[in-house]
Amino acid sequence: MRSRALGVFAAALLLAALSKDAPARDNSPAVSLQKLDGAAFSLDSLRGNLVVLDFWASWCVPCRTSFPYLDRLQTQYAAKGVRVVGLTLETDGDAVQTFLDQVPVAFAIARDPSGRAGETFGVVAMPTTFLLDRDGRVAARFEGGDAKAHARLEAALDVLLSGRPLPPGSDLRVGAGLEATGVVKAWQRGYLADSFMNLDGDPITRQLREHIHASKEGAAGDGGAAGGGCGCN
Protein backbone atom coordinates (compact mmCIF):
# COMPACT_ATOMS: atom_id res chain seq x y z
CA MET A 1 0.00 0.00 0.00
CA ARG A 2 2.85 2.34 0.95
CA SER A 3 4.62 1.56 -2.33
CA ARG A 4 1.48 2.34 -4.30
CA ALA A 5 1.04 5.66 -2.47
CA LEU A 6 4.63 6.60 -3.25
CA GLY A 7 4.03 5.72 -6.89
CA VAL A 8 0.97 7.97 -7.05
CA PHE A 9 2.91 10.77 -5.36
CA ALA A 10 5.78 10.43 -7.85
CA ALA A 11 3.36 10.50 -10.76
CA ALA A 12 1.79 13.68 -9.39
CA LEU A 13 5.19 15.33 -9.09
CA LEU A 14 6.02 14.35 -12.68
CA LEU A 15 2.71 15.73 -13.95
CA ALA A 16 3.32 19.00 -12.13
CA ALA A 17 6.79 19.28 -13.65
CA LEU A 18 5.48 18.63 -17.15
CA SER A 19 2.71 21.19 -16.67
CA LYS A 20 5.27 23.77 -15.55
CA ASP A 21 7.35 23.23 -18.69
CA ALA A 22 4.36 23.22 -21.04
CA PRO A 23 3.79 26.40 -23.06
CA ALA A 24 1.33 28.66 -21.24
CA ARG A 25 -1.84 29.89 -22.91
CA ASP A 26 -3.56 33.07 -21.94
CA ASN A 27 -7.15 32.99 -20.82
CA SER A 28 -9.42 34.83 -23.23
CA PRO A 29 -9.83 38.35 -21.84
CA ALA A 30 -13.31 39.31 -20.73
CA VAL A 31 -14.67 42.00 -23.05
CA SER A 32 -18.08 43.59 -23.63
CA LEU A 33 -19.08 43.46 -27.29
CA GLN A 34 -22.20 44.20 -29.28
CA LYS A 35 -23.70 43.20 -32.60
CA LEU A 36 -24.34 45.74 -35.33
CA ASP A 37 -27.92 46.16 -34.09
CA GLY A 38 -26.66 47.01 -30.60
CA ALA A 39 -27.55 43.67 -29.01
CA ALA A 40 -24.99 42.19 -26.62
CA PHE A 41 -22.49 39.71 -28.04
CA SER A 42 -20.24 37.45 -25.96
CA LEU A 43 -17.23 35.42 -27.00
CA ASP A 44 -18.22 32.97 -24.26
CA SER A 45 -21.19 31.97 -26.42
CA LEU A 46 -18.69 30.43 -28.85
CA ARG A 47 -16.98 28.16 -26.32
CA GLY A 48 -16.48 24.69 -27.76
CA ASN A 49 -15.46 26.15 -31.13
CA LEU A 50 -12.13 27.36 -32.43
CA VAL A 51 -12.58 31.11 -32.88
CA VAL A 52 -10.77 33.33 -35.36
CA LEU A 53 -11.13 36.80 -33.87
CA ASP A 54 -10.11 39.49 -36.35
CA PHE A 55 -9.64 43.12 -35.24
CA TRP A 56 -10.32 45.31 -38.28
CA ALA A 57 -11.14 48.88 -39.31
CA SER A 58 -12.99 50.39 -42.26
CA TRP A 59 -9.97 52.50 -43.33
CA CYS A 60 -7.50 49.59 -43.17
CA VAL A 61 -6.46 48.46 -46.66
CA PRO A 62 -5.17 45.00 -45.59
CA CYS A 63 -8.46 44.49 -43.73
CA ARG A 64 -10.31 44.98 -47.01
CA THR A 65 -8.27 42.24 -48.67
CA SER A 66 -8.45 39.96 -45.59
CA PHE A 67 -12.23 39.89 -45.39
CA PRO A 68 -12.84 37.70 -48.48
CA TYR A 69 -10.17 35.29 -47.22
CA LEU A 70 -11.73 35.10 -43.75
CA ASP A 71 -15.14 34.55 -45.32
CA ARG A 72 -13.77 31.59 -47.30
CA LEU A 73 -12.10 30.31 -44.13
CA GLN A 74 -15.44 30.35 -42.29
CA THR A 75 -17.13 28.43 -45.11
CA GLN A 76 -14.31 25.89 -45.39
CA TYR A 77 -13.98 25.14 -41.67
CA ALA A 78 -17.49 25.75 -40.31
CA ALA A 79 -18.35 22.05 -40.22
CA LYS A 80 -15.24 21.42 -38.12
CA GLY A 81 -16.33 23.82 -35.40
CA VAL A 82 -14.56 27.01 -36.47
CA ARG A 83 -16.18 30.43 -36.10
CA VAL A 84 -14.85 33.70 -37.51
CA VAL A 85 -15.69 36.97 -35.76
CA GLY A 86 -14.74 40.36 -37.16
CA LEU A 87 -14.39 42.93 -34.36
CA THR A 88 -14.24 46.65 -35.07
CA LEU A 89 -13.44 49.28 -32.44
CA GLU A 90 -14.60 52.24 -34.52
CA THR A 91 -17.10 54.78 -33.21
CA ASP A 92 -18.38 55.74 -36.68
CA GLY A 93 -21.20 53.29 -37.34
CA ASP A 94 -21.83 54.69 -40.83
CA ALA A 95 -18.23 54.00 -41.87
CA VAL A 96 -18.51 50.46 -40.55
CA GLN A 97 -21.73 49.82 -42.47
CA THR A 98 -20.35 51.34 -45.68
CA PHE A 99 -17.35 49.03 -45.49
CA LEU A 100 -19.57 45.99 -44.96
CA ASP A 101 -21.79 47.02 -47.86
CA GLN A 102 -18.72 47.16 -50.09
CA VAL A 103 -17.11 43.99 -48.71
CA PRO A 104 -20.01 41.77 -47.59
CA VAL A 105 -19.23 38.69 -45.51
CA ALA A 106 -21.22 35.90 -43.89
CA PHE A 107 -19.22 35.64 -40.65
CA ALA A 108 -20.24 37.42 -37.45
CA ILE A 109 -19.41 41.11 -37.00
CA ALA A 110 -19.05 42.63 -33.54
CA ARG A 111 -18.33 46.15 -32.28
CA ASP A 112 -16.73 47.76 -29.27
CA PRO A 113 -16.77 51.55 -29.76
CA SER A 114 -15.15 51.98 -26.34
CA GLY A 115 -11.94 50.42 -27.64
CA ARG A 116 -11.47 48.49 -24.39
CA ALA A 117 -11.29 45.19 -26.24
CA GLY A 118 -8.29 46.46 -28.18
CA GLU A 119 -6.54 47.48 -24.99
CA THR A 120 -7.45 44.23 -23.23
CA PHE A 121 -6.12 42.08 -26.09
CA GLY A 122 -3.08 44.33 -26.50
CA VAL A 123 -3.72 45.20 -30.16
CA VAL A 124 -0.79 47.21 -31.58
CA ALA A 125 -1.32 46.76 -35.32
CA MET A 126 -4.25 46.61 -37.72
CA PRO A 127 -5.39 44.08 -38.63
CA THR A 128 -4.61 41.66 -35.80
CA THR A 129 -6.17 38.21 -35.74
CA PHE A 130 -6.34 36.03 -32.62
CA LEU A 131 -6.90 32.29 -32.65
CA LEU A 132 -8.87 31.15 -29.59
CA ASP A 133 -8.99 27.48 -28.59
CA ARG A 134 -12.16 25.60 -27.68
CA ASP A 135 -11.89 26.79 -24.07
CA GLY A 136 -11.76 30.43 -25.17
CA ARG A 137 -8.04 30.84 -24.49
CA VAL A 138 -5.74 32.82 -26.77
CA ALA A 139 -3.67 30.21 -28.63
CA ALA A 140 -1.91 32.54 -31.10
CA ARG A 141 -1.96 36.01 -32.65
CA PHE A 142 -1.23 37.10 -36.21
CA GLU A 143 -0.51 40.75 -37.03
CA GLY A 144 -1.00 41.91 -40.59
CA GLY A 145 -3.36 40.90 -43.35
CA ASP A 146 -1.10 39.61 -46.12
CA ALA A 147 -0.73 36.12 -47.56
CA LYS A 148 2.00 35.23 -45.05
CA ALA A 149 -0.26 36.03 -42.11
CA HIS A 150 -3.10 34.03 -43.65
CA ALA A 151 -0.86 31.01 -44.27
CA ARG A 152 0.41 31.05 -40.68
CA LEU A 153 -3.15 31.39 -39.34
CA GLU A 154 -4.45 28.49 -41.39
CA ALA A 155 -1.48 26.28 -40.48
CA ALA A 156 -2.11 26.94 -36.78
CA LEU A 157 -5.81 26.25 -37.25
CA ASP A 158 -5.06 22.88 -38.82
CA VAL A 159 -2.75 21.98 -35.93
CA LEU A 160 -5.42 22.73 -33.32
CA LEU A 161 -8.06 20.86 -35.32
CA SER A 162 -5.79 17.81 -35.28
CA GLY A 163 -5.73 17.93 -31.48
CA ARG A 164 -2.02 18.81 -31.28
CA PRO A 165 -0.58 21.78 -29.36
CA LEU A 166 0.80 24.70 -31.31
CA PRO A 167 4.60 24.67 -31.60
CA PRO A 168 6.64 27.66 -30.39
CA GLY A 169 6.87 30.46 -32.92
CA SER A 170 3.37 30.01 -34.31
CA ASP A 171 2.57 33.71 -33.74
CA LEU A 172 3.29 36.35 -36.36
CA ARG A 173 4.26 39.77 -35.00
CA VAL A 174 5.18 43.00 -36.76
CA GLY A 175 8.49 44.73 -36.15
CA ALA A 176 8.75 47.04 -33.15
CA GLY A 177 8.91 50.06 -35.46
CA LEU A 178 5.45 49.24 -36.79
CA GLU A 179 3.79 48.78 -33.41
CA ALA A 180 1.42 51.46 -32.18
CA THR A 181 2.79 52.40 -28.77
CA GLY A 182 1.94 56.10 -28.54
CA VAL A 183 -1.12 57.95 -27.32
CA VAL A 184 -3.04 57.21 -30.53
CA LYS A 185 -3.93 53.52 -30.57
CA ALA A 186 -3.65 51.29 -33.63
CA TRP A 187 -7.42 51.29 -34.20
CA GLN A 188 -7.58 55.11 -33.95
CA ARG A 189 -5.01 55.88 -36.63
CA GLY A 190 -7.23 56.28 -39.66
CA TYR A 191 -6.50 60.00 -39.90
CA LEU A 192 -2.77 59.23 -40.23
CA ALA A 193 -3.14 56.50 -42.84
CA ASP A 194 -2.49 56.66 -46.56
CA SER A 195 -3.99 54.12 -48.92
CA PHE A 196 -0.55 52.73 -49.79
CA MET A 197 0.58 52.23 -46.18
CA ASN A 198 0.24 48.64 -45.02
CA LEU A 199 2.30 45.63 -43.93
CA ASP A 200 2.76 44.21 -47.42
CA GLY A 201 5.88 44.51 -49.55
CA ASP A 202 9.61 43.96 -49.17
CA PRO A 203 11.52 45.25 -46.10
CA ILE A 204 12.86 48.35 -47.86
CA THR A 205 9.41 49.38 -49.05
CA ARG A 206 7.95 48.82 -45.58
CA GLN A 207 10.76 50.84 -44.00
CA LEU A 208 10.06 53.72 -46.40
CA ARG A 209 6.37 53.61 -45.50
CA GLU A 210 7.26 53.71 -41.81
CA HIS A 211 9.55 56.72 -42.42
CA ILE A 212 6.69 58.54 -44.14
CA HIS A 213 4.34 57.67 -41.32
CA ALA A 214 6.85 58.73 -38.66
CA SER A 215 6.94 62.20 -40.20
CA LYS A 216 3.15 62.40 -40.22
CA GLU A 217 2.80 61.08 -36.69
CA GLY A 218 5.50 63.39 -35.42
CA ALA A 219 3.59 66.32 -36.90
CA ALA A 220 0.50 65.01 -35.12
CA GLY A 221 2.31 65.29 -31.80
CA ASP A 222 2.44 61.58 -31.07
CA GLY A 223 6.15 61.02 -30.77
CA GLY A 224 7.14 60.13 -34.33
CA ALA A 225 8.60 56.70 -34.82
CA ALA A 226 8.41 56.05 -31.08
CA GLY A 227 4.66 55.89 -31.53
CA GLY A 228 5.11 53.42 -34.37
CA GLY A 229 2.61 52.01 -36.79
CA CYS A 230 -0.12 53.68 -38.74
CA GLY A 231 -3.82 53.36 -39.24
CA CYS A 232 -3.22 50.94 -42.07
CA ASN A 233 -1.07 48.53 -40.13
Side-chain angles (χ1 to χ4, degrees):
M1 182 67 70
R2 181 180 179 184
S3 176
R4 180 179 179 184
L6 289 174
V8 172
F9 180 69
L13 288 178
L14 178 60
L15 180 60
L18 292 174
S19 299
K20 182 178 180 181
D21 293 334
R25 285 185 177 176
D26 299 327
N27 289 329
S28 179
V31 292
S32 298
L33 310 179
Q34 58 185 246
K35 299 178 182 178
L36 292 177
D37 61 6
F41 178 83
S42 173
L43 292 175
D44 286 340
S45 66
L46 300 178
R47 291 287 179 93
N49 299 286
L50 294 178
V51 177
V52 177
L53 178 63
D54 183 66
F55 283 79
W56 65 280
S58 64
W59 36 259
C60 173
V61 174
C63 298
R64 185 173 292 269
T65 58
S66 288
F67 259 45
Y69 165 77
L70 292 173
D71 208 35
R72 290 193 296 271
L73 195 73
Q74 171 71 92
T75 300
Q76 179 180 351
Y77 287 94
K80 298 180 180 181
V82 175
R83 298 293 179 266
V84 176
V85 178
L87 174 55
T88 176
L89 308 177
E90 289 181 83
T91 58
D92 187 345
D94 291 338
V96 170
Q97 190 58 58
T98 297
F99 178 94
L100 295 174
D101 290 341
Q102 296 172 349
V103 192
V105 291
F107 59 79
I109 299 295
R111 295 186 63 196
D112 176 19
S114 74
R116 294 190 184 93
E119 296 176 354
T120 302
F121 275 85
V123 174
V124 296
M126 296 296 289
T128 293
T129 306
F130 291 88
L131 181 55
L132 309 183
D133 67 16
R134 297 187 189 278
D135 294 320
R137 297 174 297 187
V138 176
R141 69 187 291 157
F142 308 90
E143 296 174 348
D146 58 9
K148 180 180 179 181
H150 295 161
R152 293 281 287 273
L153 165 62
E154 198 159 348
L157 192 58
D158 287 335
V159 169
L160 291 185
L161 284 171
S162 71
R164 293 174 289 141
L166 289 180
S170 295
D171 293 345
L172 181 62
R173 305 296 294 267
V174 301
L178 289 173
E179 289 188 356
T181 57
V183 175
V184 181
K185 303 300 182 182
W187 56 91
Q188 300 171 328
R189 298 185 172 223
Y191 73 92
L192 292 173
D194 283 329
S195 60
F196 61 86
M197 296 183 70
N198 54 61
L199 293 176
D200 300 331
D202 59 85
I204 295 177
T205 300
R206 291 171 60 174
Q207 187 65 33
L208 176 61
R209 290 169 177 161
E210 170 61 12
H211 173 73
I212 294 172
H213 167 69
S215 300
K216 295 174 67 178
E217 192 170 57
D222 195 35
C230 80
C232 258
N233 278 2

